[in-house]
Amino acid sequence: MLLIEPALLSAFGTTIGKWILGIRITDRNGRRLSYAKGFSRVAVMLWKGKGLRIPIYDAVRLWKSFHDCKDGKTLEWEYDSVIHLKDQRKWRIGIYIGVCIAVFGATVFGIAIAKMPENRGDITVAQFCENYNKFAEYYKLQENYRLDQTGKWIKLDTSVIGEEDPIEMNFTEENGIMTGLNFSIHVQDGRTIVSSYQEERILSILAFVQAQPSCSLIFNEADGMVWKIQKSPFENFEWEECGVKVTCTIKPLGYLEIENMGILYRDEEVEGEYSFEFSMEKEE
């Protein structure tokens, strides 16, 4: 805004919003503002009018500017410029509101598209892996691991030691099309810490459930599933969304959950046993 609006004012004497409302800005001699004067005007407006969008302070500045305008005072960024109003036809306000709604809708639509996987519909295992890796990179999860085209793990930085490998994924296919995924683990070796495999589950849901044609672009059903996993990582569940049955069964014995960590810690006085199973299966 600080760079583009001065350019529009110096070139056309207005911006898109001002043009819709029939407003034109000039200097006191009726000429278009220079870029420098336009820049100064916008900079003061952002500071004195919008408070640089600083929370709370921006509301204070907007309230103060509203009352100054209502009382007929010259706002601080308007001392060296003149506002010309072509007319006050009501339809201009309607068009302006419509444009604002359209811009908001386009923004929401763009965000929704960005959140969807690149490969949708009847996807192959390789396409699932592409989706999975995209989301892992986008959300900065499993930063040292990626899936190859067959669904096997690749360690990006082999110099990192002591890092537990992700759980092995098993795929089901029909005529080359991926129909499901499962991974599981059963621990009886008394290890101190076990994982909820939260990241693997979330990324798998985003990469597969969202890929289904029936998954809504705006009201995304997968988001609710992800939120529940994040909130209760060790809770058992069985869901059916977008034509995919998603099941998770966790049985911890002798383990205590560490809040907000997504891991269980074994009670030293009890012999620990832990089983975990997650599956996604495409419904007929």
mmCIF file of all heavy atoms in Angstrom, residues 33-77:
data_model
loop_
_atom_site.group_PDB
_atom_site.id
_atom_site.type_symbol
_atom_site.label_atom_id
_atom_site.label_comp_id
_atom_site.label_asym_id
_atom_site.label_seq_id
_atom_site.Cartn_x
_atom_site.Cartn_y
_atom_site.Cartn_z
ATOM 1 N N LEU A 33 -0.901 14.660 -7.455
ATOM 2 C CA LEU A 33 0.199 14.656 -6.498
ATOM 3 C C LEU A 33 1.443 14.024 -7.118
ATOM 4 O O LEU A 33 1.344 13.095 -7.920
ATOM 5 C CB LEU A 33 -0.189 13.850 -5.249
ATOM 6 C CG LEU A 33 -1.398 14.328 -4.436
ATOM 7 C CD1 LEU A 33 -1.633 13.377 -3.261
ATOM 8 C CD2 LEU A 33 -1.199 15.741 -3.931
ATOM 9 N N SER A 34 2.598 14.535 -6.744
ATOM 10 C CA SER A 34 3.839 13.873 -7.139
ATOM 11 C C SER A 34 3.951 12.575 -6.334
ATOM 12 O O SER A 34 3.263 12.401 -5.321
ATOM 13 C CB SER A 34 5.038 14.776 -6.839
ATOM 14 O OG SER A 34 5.164 14.972 -5.432
ATOM 15 N N TYR A 35 4.835 11.713 -6.785
ATOM 16 C CA TYR A 35 4.987 10.451 -6.050
ATOM 17 C C TYR A 35 5.440 10.724 -4.619
ATOM 18 O O TYR A 35 4.964 10.085 -3.674
ATOM 19 C CB TYR A 35 5.992 9.539 -6.747
ATOM 20 C CG TYR A 35 6.108 8.185 -6.090
ATOM 21 C CD1 TYR A 35 5.259 7.144 -6.463
ATOM 22 C CD2 TYR A 35 7.035 7.951 -5.078
ATOM 23 C CE1 TYR A 35 5.328 5.899 -5.848
ATOM 24 C CE2 TYR A 35 7.115 6.714 -4.452
ATOM 25 C CZ TYR A 35 6.267 5.692 -4.837
ATOM 26 O OH TYR A 35 6.336 4.464 -4.207
ATOM 27 N N ALA A 36 6.340 11.696 -4.438
ATOM 28 C CA ALA A 36 6.853 12.007 -3.099
ATOM 29 C C ALA A 36 5.737 12.500 -2.190
ATOM 30 O O ALA A 36 5.632 12.085 -1.025
ATOM 31 C CB ALA A 36 7.961 13.057 -3.199
ATOM 32 N N LYS A 37 4.871 13.392 -2.710
ATOM 33 C CA LYS A 37 3.764 13.894 -1.895
ATOM 34 C C LYS A 37 2.738 12.791 -1.626
ATOM 35 O O LYS A 37 2.164 12.725 -0.534
ATOM 36 C CB LYS A 37 3.093 15.079 -2.588
ATOM 37 C CG LYS A 37 3.918 16.358 -2.536
ATOM 38 C CD LYS A 37 3.141 17.538 -3.104
ATOM 39 C CE LYS A 37 3.932 18.832 -2.957
ATOM 40 N NZ LYS A 37 3.195 20.001 -3.486
ATOM 41 N N GLY A 38 2.527 11.937 -2.632
ATOM 42 C CA GLY A 38 1.612 10.812 -2.429
ATOM 43 C C GLY A 38 2.136 9.849 -1.378
ATOM 44 O O GLY A 38 1.380 9.360 -0.528
ATOM 45 N N PHE A 39 3.454 9.625 -1.414
ATOM 46 C CA PHE A 39 4.084 8.737 -0.438
ATOM 47 C C PHE A 39 3.938 9.302 0.965
ATOM 48 O O PHE A 39 3.604 8.585 1.921
ATOM 49 C CB PHE A 39 5.557 8.554 -0.784
ATOM 50 C CG PHE A 39 6.273 7.560 0.095
ATOM 51 C CD1 PHE A 39 6.351 6.230 -0.280
ATOM 52 C CD2 PHE A 39 6.867 7.956 1.282
ATOM 53 C CE1 PHE A 39 7.011 5.305 0.531
ATOM 54 C CE2 PHE A 39 7.522 7.046 2.090
ATOM 55 C CZ PHE A 39 7.600 5.716 1.709
ATOM 56 N N SER A 40 4.189 10.608 1.096
ATOM 57 C CA SER A 40 4.063 11.265 2.400
ATOM 58 C C SER A 40 2.631 11.187 2.915
ATOM 59 O O SER A 40 2.395 10.922 4.096
ATOM 60 C CB SER A 40 4.510 12.725 2.280
ATOM 61 O OG SER A 40 4.305 13.405 3.502
ATOM 62 N N ARG A 41 1.668 11.393 2.005
ATOM 63 C CA ARG A 41 0.245 11.348 2.396
ATOM 64 C C ARG A 41 -0.132 9.961 2.925
ATOM 65 O O ARG A 41 -0.762 9.841 3.983
ATOM 66 C CB ARG A 41 -0.630 11.699 1.190
ATOM 67 C CG ARG A 41 -2.120 11.760 1.497
ATOM 68 C CD ARG A 41 -2.904 12.047 0.224
ATOM 69 N NE ARG A 41 -4.288 12.394 0.526
ATOM 70 C CZ ARG A 41 -5.267 11.505 0.745
ATOM 71 N NH1 ARG A 41 -4.982 10.212 0.684
ATOM 72 N NH2 ARG A 41 -6.493 11.902 1.027
ATOM 73 N N VAL A 42 0.257 8.925 2.194
ATOM 74 C CA VAL A 42 -0.092 7.568 2.591
ATOM 75 C C VAL A 42 0.621 7.178 3.880
ATOM 76 O O VAL A 42 0.036 6.528 4.760
ATOM 77 C CB VAL A 42 0.245 6.571 1.462
ATOM 78 C CG1 VAL A 42 -0.006 5.133 1.920
ATOM 79 C CG2 VAL A 42 -0.586 6.874 0.222
ATOM 80 N N ALA A 43 1.891 7.595 4.025
ATOM 81 C CA ALA A 43 2.658 7.250 5.229
ATOM 82 C C ALA A 43 2.017 7.858 6.482
ATOM 83 O O ALA A 43 1.860 7.179 7.504
ATOM 84 C CB ALA A 43 4.101 7.729 5.089
ATOM 85 N N VAL A 44 1.620 9.124 6.388
ATOM 86 C CA VAL A 44 0.974 9.778 7.538
ATOM 87 C C VAL A 44 -0.383 9.132 7.815
ATOM 88 O O VAL A 44 -0.771 8.946 8.974
ATOM 89 C CB VAL A 44 0.817 11.292 7.290
ATOM 90 C CG1 VAL A 44 0.047 11.952 8.438
ATOM 91 C CG2 VAL A 44 2.182 11.953 7.139
ATOM 92 N N MET A 45 -1.106 8.795 6.752
ATOM 93 C CA MET A 45 -2.408 8.149 6.941
ATOM 94 C C MET A 45 -2.260 6.793 7.634
ATOM 95 O O MET A 45 -3.046 6.445 8.529
ATOM 96 C CB MET A 45 -3.091 7.986 5.584
ATOM 97 C CG MET A 45 -4.486 7.356 5.635
ATOM 98 S SD MET A 45 -4.433 5.559 5.594
ATOM 99 C CE MET A 45 -3.777 5.270 3.959
ATOM 100 N N LEU A 46 -1.254 6.006 7.223
ATOM 101 C CA LEU A 46 -1.040 4.704 7.857
ATOM 102 C C LEU A 46 -0.686 4.849 9.333
ATOM 103 O O LEU A 46 -1.083 4.021 10.159
ATOM 104 C CB LEU A 46 0.068 3.949 7.121
ATOM 105 C CG LEU A 46 -0.283 3.402 5.737
ATOM 106 C CD1 LEU A 46 0.953 2.816 5.070
ATOM 107 C CD2 LEU A 46 -1.367 2.337 5.829
ATOM 108 N N TRP A 47 0.056 5.929 9.677
ATOM 109 C CA TRP A 47 0.474 6.131 11.063
ATOM 110 C C TRP A 47 -0.631 6.789 11.890
ATOM 111 O O TRP A 47 -1.075 6.255 12.907
ATOM 112 C CB TRP A 47 1.747 6.958 11.099
ATOM 113 C CG TRP A 47 2.148 7.427 12.482
ATOM 114 C CD1 TRP A 47 2.349 8.709 12.886
ATOM 115 C CD2 TRP A 47 2.404 6.607 13.620
ATOM 116 N NE1 TRP A 47 2.701 8.736 14.210
ATOM 117 C CE2 TRP A 47 2.742 7.461 14.688
ATOM 118 C CE3 TRP A 47 2.356 5.226 13.843
ATOM 119 C CZ2 TRP A 47 3.047 6.981 15.961
ATOM 120 C CZ3 TRP A 47 2.662 4.754 15.123
ATOM 121 C CH2 TRP A 47 3.002 5.632 16.157
ATOM 122 N N LYS A 48 -1.114 7.927 11.432
ATOM 123 C CA LYS A 48 -2.100 8.682 12.203
ATOM 124 C C LYS A 48 -3.526 8.145 12.036
ATOM 125 O O LYS A 48 -4.354 8.289 12.937
ATOM 126 C CB LYS A 48 -2.075 10.154 11.786
ATOM 127 C CG LYS A 48 -0.765 10.871 12.097
ATOM 128 C CD LYS A 48 -0.546 10.981 13.598
ATOM 129 C CE LYS A 48 0.703 11.801 13.908
ATOM 130 N NZ LYS A 48 0.913 11.950 15.370
ATOM 131 N N GLY A 49 -3.794 7.545 10.887
ATOM 132 C CA GLY A 49 -5.148 7.052 10.647
ATOM 133 C C GLY A 49 -5.350 5.602 11.055
ATOM 134 O O GLY A 49 -6.343 5.255 11.698
ATOM 135 N N LYS A 50 -4.387 4.740 10.708
ATOM 136 C CA LYS A 50 -4.535 3.310 10.977
ATOM 137 C C LYS A 50 -3.634 2.810 12.091
ATOM 138 O O LYS A 50 -3.677 1.619 12.443
ATOM 139 C CB LYS A 50 -4.259 2.506 9.693
ATOM 140 C CG LYS A 50 -5.261 2.765 8.569
ATOM 141 C CD LYS A 50 -4.935 1.923 7.357
ATOM 142 C CE LYS A 50 -5.918 2.154 6.220
ATOM 143 N NZ LYS A 50 -7.241 1.594 6.508
ATOM 144 N N GLY A 51 -2.774 3.699 12.639
ATOM 145 C CA GLY A 51 -1.917 3.272 13.737
ATOM 146 C C GLY A 51 -0.991 2.125 13.380
ATOM 147 O O GLY A 51 -0.621 1.315 14.231
ATOM 148 N N LEU A 52 -0.589 2.078 12.093
ATOM 149 C CA LEU A 52 0.301 1.030 11.580
ATOM 150 C C LEU A 52 -0.242 -0.368 11.867
ATOM 151 O O LEU A 52 0.507 -1.335 11.965
ATOM 152 C CB LEU A 52 1.711 1.172 12.158
ATOM 153 C CG LEU A 52 2.480 2.434 11.748
ATOM 154 C CD1 LEU A 52 3.840 2.455 12.402
ATOM 155 C CD2 LEU A 52 2.614 2.518 10.240
ATOM 156 N N ARG A 53 -1.561 -0.477 12.037
ATOM 157 C CA ARG A 53 -2.239 -1.757 12.311
ATOM 158 C C ARG A 53 -1.748 -2.400 13.610
ATOM 159 O O ARG A 53 -1.817 -3.624 13.775
ATOM 160 C CB ARG A 53 -2.066 -2.721 11.137
ATOM 161 C CG ARG A 53 -2.688 -2.241 9.826
ATOM 162 C CD ARG A 53 -4.202 -2.236 9.918
ATOM 163 N NE ARG A 53 -4.824 -1.671 8.731
ATOM 164 C CZ ARG A 53 -5.147 -2.382 7.643
ATOM 165 N NH1 ARG A 53 -4.865 -3.664 7.597
ATOM 166 N NH2 ARG A 53 -5.740 -1.807 6.617
ATOM 167 N N ILE A 54 -1.235 -1.589 14.519
ATOM 168 C CA ILE A 54 -0.831 -2.108 15.826
ATOM 169 C C ILE A 54 -2.095 -2.399 16.637
ATOM 170 O O ILE A 54 -2.940 -1.518 16.780
ATOM 171 C CB ILE A 54 0.052 -1.086 16.579
ATOM 172 C CG1 ILE A 54 1.333 -0.814 15.783
ATOM 173 C CG2 ILE A 54 0.388 -1.585 17.985
ATOM 174 C CD1 ILE A 54 2.164 0.328 16.334
ATOM 175 N N PRO A 55 -2.248 -3.622 17.139
ATOM 176 C CA PRO A 55 -3.478 -3.961 17.869
ATOM 177 C C PRO A 55 -3.810 -2.952 18.969
ATOM 178 O O PRO A 55 -2.929 -2.461 19.665
ATOM 179 C CB PRO A 55 -3.148 -5.347 18.458
ATOM 180 C CG PRO A 55 -2.139 -5.921 17.518
ATOM 181 C CD PRO A 55 -1.314 -4.754 17.056
ATOM 182 N N ILE A 56 -5.070 -2.662 19.126
ATOM 183 C CA ILE A 56 -5.642 -1.708 20.087
ATOM 184 C C ILE A 56 -5.350 -0.277 19.647
ATOM 185 O O ILE A 56 -6.264 0.552 19.516
ATOM 186 C CB ILE A 56 -5.151 -1.941 21.530
ATOM 187 C CG1 ILE A 56 -5.540 -3.368 21.984
ATOM 188 C CG2 ILE A 56 -5.746 -0.896 22.486
ATOM 189 C CD1 ILE A 56 -5.046 -3.725 23.365
ATOM 190 N N TYR A 57 -4.053 0.028 19.400
ATOM 191 C CA TYR A 57 -3.720 1.393 18.992
ATOM 192 C C TYR A 57 -4.370 1.737 17.652
ATOM 193 O O TYR A 57 -4.786 2.881 17.436
ATOM 194 C CB TYR A 57 -2.206 1.561 18.890
ATOM 195 C CG TYR A 57 -1.767 2.966 18.508
ATOM 196 C CD1 TYR A 57 -2.015 4.036 19.360
ATOM 197 C CD2 TYR A 57 -1.128 3.209 17.298
ATOM 198 C CE1 TYR A 57 -1.631 5.320 19.016
ATOM 199 C CE2 TYR A 57 -0.742 4.490 16.942
ATOM 200 C CZ TYR A 57 -1.001 5.542 17.806
ATOM 201 O OH TYR A 57 -0.630 6.823 17.459
ATOM 202 N N ASP A 58 -4.480 0.770 16.741
ATOM 203 C CA ASP A 58 -5.123 1.050 15.456
ATOM 204 C C ASP A 58 -6.592 1.411 15.646
ATOM 205 O O ASP A 58 -7.112 2.321 14.985
ATOM 206 C CB ASP A 58 -4.975 -0.133 14.494
ATOM 207 C CG ASP A 58 -5.639 -1.408 15.020
ATOM 208 O OD1 ASP A 58 -5.961 -1.460 16.216
ATOM 209 O OD2 ASP A 58 -5.804 -2.340 14.229
ATOM 210 N N ALA A 59 -7.271 0.759 16.604
ATOM 211 C CA ALA A 59 -8.668 1.089 16.880
ATOM 212 C C ALA A 59 -8.801 2.489 17.467
ATOM 213 O O ALA A 59 -9.726 3.240 17.135
ATOM 214 C CB ALA A 59 -9.271 0.064 17.836
ATOM 215 N N VAL A 60 -7.838 2.859 18.315
ATOM 216 C CA VAL A 60 -7.839 4.199 18.913
ATOM 217 C C VAL A 60 -7.683 5.256 17.829
ATOM 218 O O VAL A 60 -8.397 6.267 17.805
ATOM 219 C CB VAL A 60 -6.707 4.325 19.957
ATOM 220 C CG1 VAL A 60 -6.570 5.774 20.443
ATOM 221 C CG2 VAL A 60 -6.980 3.403 21.143
ATOM 222 N N ARG A 61 -6.743 5.027 16.908
ATOM 223 C CA ARG A 61 -6.498 6.005 15.842
ATOM 224 C C ARG A 61 -7.698 6.106 14.889
ATOM 225 O O ARG A 61 -8.063 7.201 14.456
ATOM 226 C CB ARG A 61 -5.247 5.630 15.049
ATOM 227 C CG ARG A 61 -3.935 5.762 15.799
ATOM 228 C CD ARG A 61 -3.743 7.102 16.473
ATOM 229 N NE ARG A 61 -4.051 8.225 15.585
ATOM 230 C CZ ARG A 61 -4.134 9.489 15.987
ATOM 231 N NH1 ARG A 61 -3.955 9.793 17.261
ATOM 232 N NH2 ARG A 61 -4.397 10.443 15.125
ATOM 233 N N LEU A 62 -8.312 4.977 14.561
ATOM 234 C CA LEU A 62 -9.487 5.005 13.689
ATOM 235 C C LEU A 62 -10.638 5.756 14.355
ATOM 236 O O LEU A 62 -11.338 6.542 13.719
ATOM 237 C CB LEU A 62 -9.921 3.576 13.349
ATOM 238 C CG LEU A 62 -9.054 2.836 12.317
ATOM 239 C CD1 LEU A 62 -9.427 1.354 12.283
ATOM 240 C CD2 LEU A 62 -9.214 3.444 10.930
ATOM 241 N N TRP A 63 -10.836 5.527 15.644
ATOM 242 C CA TRP A 63 -11.904 6.209 16.394
ATOM 243 C C TRP A 63 -11.654 7.715 16.435
ATOM 244 O O TRP A 63 -12.560 8.517 16.237
ATOM 245 C CB TRP A 63 -11.979 5.624 17.800
ATOM 246 C CG TRP A 63 -13.082 6.184 18.637
ATOM 247 C CD1 TRP A 63 -12.993 7.106 19.639
ATOM 248 C CD2 TRP A 63 -14.483 5.864 18.537
ATOM 249 N NE1 TRP A 63 -14.222 7.379 20.161
ATOM 250 C CE2 TRP A 63 -15.167 6.637 19.514
ATOM 251 C CE3 TRP A 63 -15.219 5.011 17.725
ATOM 252 C CZ2 TRP A 63 -16.536 6.571 19.692
ATOM 253 C CZ3 TRP A 63 -16.591 4.943 17.909
ATOM 254 C CH2 TRP A 63 -17.235 5.707 18.877
ATOM 255 N N LYS A 64 -10.383 8.091 16.692
ATOM 256 C CA LYS A 64 -10.028 9.512 16.732
ATOM 257 C C LYS A 64 -10.223 10.153 15.366
ATOM 258 O O LYS A 64 -10.778 11.255 15.251
ATOM 259 C CB LYS A 64 -8.567 9.647 17.168
ATOM 260 C CG LYS A 64 -8.016 11.069 17.211
ATOM 261 C CD LYS A 64 -8.595 11.855 18.369
ATOM 262 C CE LYS A 64 -7.814 13.136 18.631
ATOM 263 N NZ LYS A 64 -7.701 14.026 17.487
ATOM 264 N N SER A 65 -9.800 9.482 14.309
ATOM 265 C CA SER A 65 -9.944 10.020 12.954
ATOM 266 C C SER A 65 -11.416 10.152 12.571
ATOM 267 O O SER A 65 -11.819 11.124 11.925
ATOM 268 C CB SER A 65 -9.229 9.108 11.952
ATOM 269 O OG SER A 65 -7.854 9.033 12.239
ATOM 270 N N PHE A 66 -12.216 9.173 12.972
ATOM 271 C CA PHE A 66 -13.654 9.223 12.687
ATOM 272 C C PHE A 66 -14.284 10.462 13.305
ATOM 273 O O PHE A 66 -15.042 11.191 12.652
ATOM 274 C CB PHE A 66 -14.322 7.953 13.221
ATOM 275 C CG PHE A 66 -15.822 8.019 13.231
ATOM 276 C CD1 PHE A 66 -16.540 7.910 12.053
ATOM 277 C CD2 PHE A 66 -16.511 8.204 14.413
ATOM 278 C CE1 PHE A 66 -17.928 7.973 12.043
ATOM 279 C CE2 PHE A 66 -17.893 8.273 14.431
ATOM 280 C CZ PHE A 66 -18.608 8.158 13.243
ATOM 281 N N HIS A 67 -13.962 10.735 14.565
ATOM 282 C CA HIS A 67 -14.563 11.894 15.246
ATOM 283 C C HIS A 67 -14.035 13.214 14.690
ATOM 284 O O HIS A 67 -14.785 14.186 14.575
ATOM 285 C CB HIS A 67 -14.316 11.794 16.756
ATOM 286 C CG HIS A 67 -15.292 10.882 17.445
ATOM 287 N ND1 HIS A 67 -16.588 11.260 17.734
ATOM 288 C CD2 HIS A 67 -15.166 9.616 17.871
ATOM 289 C CE1 HIS A 67 -17.225 10.262 18.323
ATOM 290 N NE2 HIS A 67 -16.376 9.240 18.418
ATOM 291 N N ASP A 68 -12.739 13.247 14.316
ATOM 292 C CA ASP A 68 -12.200 14.464 13.700
ATOM 293 C C ASP A 68 -12.908 14.743 12.379
ATOM 294 O O ASP A 68 -13.253 15.897 12.071
ATOM 295 C CB ASP A 68 -10.698 14.309 13.460
ATOM 296 C CG ASP A 68 -9.899 14.406 14.749
ATOM 297 O OD1 ASP A 68 -10.485 14.827 15.778
ATOM 298 O OD2 ASP A 68 -8.712 14.049 14.739
ATOM 299 N N CYS A 69 -13.135 13.696 11.584
ATOM 300 C CA CYS A 69 -13.820 13.848 10.304
ATOM 301 C C CYS A 69 -15.276 14.284 10.532
ATOM 302 O O CYS A 69 -15.799 15.162 9.835
ATOM 303 C CB CYS A 69 -13.761 12.518 9.547
ATOM 304 S SG CYS A 69 -14.361 12.615 7.849
ATOM 305 N N LYS A 70 -15.906 13.678 11.516
ATOM 306 C CA LYS A 70 -17.305 14.004 11.838
ATOM 307 C C LYS A 70 -17.444 15.457 12.281
ATOM 308 O O LYS A 70 -18.441 16.130 11.974
ATOM 309 C CB LYS A 70 -17.788 13.062 12.941
ATOM 310 C CG LYS A 70 -19.271 13.164 13.250
ATOM 311 C CD LYS A 70 -19.651 12.139 14.314
ATOM 312 C CE LYS A 70 -21.136 12.263 14.649
ATOM 313 N NZ LYS A 70 -21.510 11.290 15.728
ATOM 314 N N ASP A 71 -16.417 15.964 12.979
ATOM 315 C CA ASP A 71 -16.442 17.351 13.467
ATOM 316 C C ASP A 71 -15.960 18.354 12.428
ATOM 317 O O ASP A 71 -15.832 19.554 12.729
ATOM 318 C CB ASP A 71 -15.582 17.469 14.733
ATOM 319 C CG ASP A 71 -16.148 16.667 15.896
ATOM 320 O OD1 ASP A 71 -17.364 16.366 15.869
ATOM 321 O OD2 ASP A 71 -15.386 16.328 16.816
ATOM 322 N N GLY A 72 -15.648 17.870 11.229
ATOM 323 C CA GLY A 72 -15.242 18.766 10.152
ATOM 324 C C GLY A 72 -13.789 19.190 10.200
ATOM 325 O O GLY A 72 -13.386 20.128 9.501
ATOM 326 N N LYS A 73 -12.967 18.515 10.985
ATOM 327 C CA LYS A 73 -11.546 18.866 11.085
ATOM 328 C C LYS A 73 -10.776 18.272 9.905
ATOM 329 O O LYS A 73 -11.161 17.248 9.349
ATOM 330 C CB LYS A 73 -10.964 18.329 12.392
ATOM 331 C CG LYS A 73 -11.570 18.945 13.648
ATOM 332 C CD LYS A 73 -10.921 18.352 14.886
ATOM 333 C CE LYS A 73 -11.533 18.939 16.158
ATOM 334 N NZ LYS A 73 -10.923 18.335 17.373
ATOM 335 N N THR A 74 -9.699 18.931 9.537
ATOM 336 C CA THR A 74 -8.835 18.410 8.471
ATOM 337 C C THR A 74 -7.934 17.332 9.055
ATOM 338 O O THR A 74 -7.221 17.574 10.029
ATOM 339 C CB THR A 74 -7.970 19.532 7.866
ATOM 340 O OG1 THR A 74 -8.829 20.539 7.330
ATOM 341 C CG2 THR A 74 -7.074 18.982 6.764
ATOM 342 N N LEU A 75 -7.966 16.168 8.483
ATOM 343 C CA LEU A 75 -7.122 15.083 8.966
ATOM 344 C C LEU A 75 -5.669 15.359 8.589
ATOM 345 O O LEU A 75 -5.381 15.992 7.572
ATOM 346 C CB LEU A 75 -7.584 13.756 8.372
ATOM 347 C CG LEU A 75 -9.040 13.383 8.723
ATOM 348 C CD1 LEU A 75 -9.454 12.101 8.002
ATOM 349 C CD2 LEU A 75 -9.225 13.216 10.220
ATOM 350 N N GLU A 76 -4.761 14.865 9.410
ATOM 351 C CA GLU A 76 -3.359 15.277 9.312
ATOM 352 C C GLU A 76 -2.721 14.963 7.968
ATOM 353 O O GLU A 76 -1.791 15.664 7.545
ATOM 354 C CB GLU A 76 -2.551 14.629 10.440
ATOM 355 C CG GLU A 76 -2.970 15.134 11.831
ATOM 356 C CD GLU A 76 -2.049 14.624 12.920
ATOM 357 O OE1 GLU A 76 -0.818 14.690 12.737
ATOM 358 O OE2 GLU A 76 -2.554 14.162 13.955
ATOM 359 N N TRP A 77 -3.171 13.934 7.289
ATOM 360 C CA TRP A 77 -2.568 13.577 5.992
ATOM 361 C C TRP A 77 -3.195 14.334 4.826
ATOM 362 O O TRP A 77 -2.821 14.124 3.687
ATOM 363 C CB TRP A 77 -2.663 12.075 5.751
ATOM 364 C CG TRP A 77 -4.054 11.500 5.813
ATOM 365 C CD1 TRP A 77 -4.924 11.362 4.779
ATOM 366 C CD2 TRP A 77 -4.724 11.005 6.970
ATOM 367 N NE1 TRP A 77 -6.094 10.806 5.215
ATOM 368 C CE2 TRP A 77 -5.997 10.567 6.566
ATOM 369 C CE3 TRP A 77 -4.372 10.888 8.323
ATOM 370 C CZ2 TRP A 77 -6.917 10.024 7.454
ATOM 371 C CZ3 TRP A 77 -5.280 10.337 9.194
ATOM 372 C CH2 TRP A 77 -6.537 9.913 8.769
#
